[in-house]
């Protein structure tokens, strides 16, 4: 069966921009083209794309993925076994990766040194300790948890208000951009995704592109985070998810 680039993007959950990039670097070139030059992908191309996505989720650079997939000694079964081993080994580390965002989004921190009045001014009706026990149980042994907790425990009322103002300003601009019709993989959307990543690094812990895409996946998989973004604007969670992945592909 033959597919257009748009159909492949929808089926695989990637952007058209990413598919164009894969073609440009020779990682995934379509098996055919129309007389007008439009890309056409067959089932074998889709199978290769699936393997590419698996390895990308594991953090492999695109150049290394190309070497792995083009190895004449490899076979699909060997790829699946290798990916299974790598995923199993990385489960614990991936849990650690997503730790700090719980604090960045919800300020679920122990030792937040604010008076009750200051807490209400910063967090409103949200209780910043409500998820602290869950976060400590899930990620208490991770470097991300320790670093985020170390920083947050020293923040003053002014620091938290600054974090809140930055986050709200960024959120307003993201909502406005989506409302304007700009694609999630547009330069403007990717710039806001990059700003989001840098905010996490500046205030809580060093957020790599690999970690950032892991957080993006959590935004749509965890109903609490999805509800947060959907409350800002319907569809915003998915929009941010796609923008973060597009940004990582472009910049990483």
């Amino acid at each position: 069966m033959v597919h257009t680039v748009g159909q492949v993007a929808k089926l695989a959950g990637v952007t058209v921009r990413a598919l164009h990039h894969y073609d440009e670097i020779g990682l995934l070139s379509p098996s055919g083209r129309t007389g007008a030059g439009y890309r056409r992908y067959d089932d074998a191309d889709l199978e290769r794309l699936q393997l590419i996505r698996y390895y990308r989720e594991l953090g492999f650079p695109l150049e290394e993925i190309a070497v792995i997939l083009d190895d004449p000694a490899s076979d699909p079964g060997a790829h699946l076994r290798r990916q299974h081993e790598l995923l199993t080994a990385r489960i614990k580390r991936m849990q650690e990766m997503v730790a700090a965002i719980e604090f960045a989004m919800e300020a679920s921190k122990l030792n937040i040194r604010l008076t009750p009045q200051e807490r209400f001014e910063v967090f409103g009706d949200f209780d910043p300790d409500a998820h602290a026990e869950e976060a400590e149980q899930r990620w208490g042994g991770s470097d991300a948890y320790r670093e985020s907790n170390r920083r947050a425990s020293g923040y003053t009322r002014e620091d938290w208000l600054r974090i809140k103002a930055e986050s709200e300003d960024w959120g307003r601009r993201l909502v406005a951009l989506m409302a304007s019709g700009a694609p999630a993989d547009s330069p403007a959307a990717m710039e806001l995704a990059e700003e989001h990543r840098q905010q996490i690094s500046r205030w809580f812990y060093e957020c790599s592109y690999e970690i950032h895409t892991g957080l993006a996946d959590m935004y749509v998989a965890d109903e609490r985070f999805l509800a947060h973004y959907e409350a800002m604007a319907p569809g915003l969670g998915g929009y941010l998810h796609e923008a973060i992945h597009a940004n990582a592909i472009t910049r990483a």
Side-chain angles (χ1 to χ4, degrees), residues 105-106 131 175 178 215-241:
M105 293 289 296
E106 300 179 4
H131 301 282
V175 169
M178 185 181 72
L215 300 177
D217 293 342
M218 185 177 68
Y219 294 161
V220 295
D222 188 314
E223 61 182 15
R224 292 172 296 181
F225 289 99
L226 185 60
H228 169 82
Y229 286 111
E230 292 301 298
M232 294 171 64
L236 191 66
Y239 187 82
L240 177 59
H241 172 269

Side-chain angles (χ1 to χ4, degrees), residues 34 53 91 98 108 127-128 146 198 202 216-217 225 239 246-247:
T34 66
R53 292 188 64 221
I91 286 175
V98 301
S108 300
D127 180 1
R146 286 189 290 270
Q198 292 180 6
R202 181 167 61 255
D217 293 342
F225 289 99
Y239 187 82
N247 183 61

Side-chain angles (χ1 to χ4, degrees), residues 2-238:
V2 177
H3 309 271
T4 67
V5 66
Q7 290 170 335
V8 172
K10 185 175 181 179
L11 284 170
V14 299
T15 64
V16 171
R17 182 188 182 94
L19 292 173
H20 287 176
H21 181 60
Y22 292 168
D23 187 11
E24 290 167 2
I25 65 175
L27 178 61
L28 177 65
S29 297
S31 297
R33 289 182 182 269
T34 66
Y38 294 110
R39 297 169 174 84
R40 291 294 182 265
Y41 297 81
D42 62 18
D43 291 342
D45 296 328
L46 292 181
E47 290 177 6
R48 183 177 175 93
L49 177 58
Q50 185 178 44
L51 292 173
I52 291 170
R53 292 188 64 221
Y54 286 157
Y55 281 114
R56 282 297 288 165
E57 289 295 328
L58 289 166
F60 281 73
L62 296 179
E63 295 78 6
E64 188 172 346
I65 295 174
V67 172
I68 294 171
L69 295 184
D70 293 333
D71 181 358
S74 66
D75 62 75
H79 284 302
L80 291 174
R81 287 191 296 273
R82 175 182 174 85
Q83 290 157 0
H84 182 272
E85 292 171 357
L86 292 169
L87 282 170
T88 300
R90 286 190 58 195
I91 286 175
K92 183 176 183 296
R93 189 161 74 90
M94 287 299 293
Q95 289 175 334
E96 294 179 356
M97 283 182 181
V98 301
I101 193 60
E102 189 133 318
F103 310 121
M105 293 289 296
E106 300 179 4
S108 300
K109 309 303 297 180
L110 297 172
N111 302 320
I112 295 178
R113 297 173 183 172
L114 301 178
T115 67
Q117 293 80 8
E118 290 172 337
R119 285 184 178 223
F120 183 80
E121 182 180 2
V122 173
F123 303 118
D125 293 331
F126 173 74
D127 180 1
D129 290 331
H131 301 282
E133 183 177 353
E134 175 191 352
E136 185 173 18
Q137 289 176 349
R138 293 175 67 182
W139 302 303
S142 71
D143 291 338
Y145 180 96
R146 286 189 290 270
E147 176 62 14
S148 189
N149 193 54
R150 182 191 66 79
R151 295 193 199 182
S153 65
Y155 287 159
T156 64
R157 165 185 171 276
E158 287 71 24
D159 292 325
W160 284 114
L161 288 174
R162 190 175 300 113
I163 293 170
K164 179 183 179 182
E166 281 189 12
S167 178
E168 290 177 345
D169 175 66
W170 170 85
R172 283 191 294 268
R173 287 182 284 126
L174 182 66
V175 169
L177 184 65
M178 185 181 72
S180 74
D185 61 350
S186 66
M190 289 190 289
E191 193 62 34
L192 283 176
E194 177 65 14
E195 182 179 334
H196 179 265
R197 187 186 71 84
Q198 292 180 6
Q199 285 181 354
I200 296 171
S201 294
R202 181 167 61 255
W203 290 108
F204 295 97
Y205 75 112
E206 187 59 34
C207 182
S208 68
Y209 290 104
E210 182 181 7
I211 293 175
H212 203 208
T213 55
L215 300 177
D217 293 342
M218 185 177 68
Y219 294 161
V220 295
D222 188 314
E223 61 182 15
R224 292 172 296 181
F225 289 99
L226 185 60
H228 169 82
Y229 286 111
E230 292 301 298
M232 294 171 64
L236 191 66

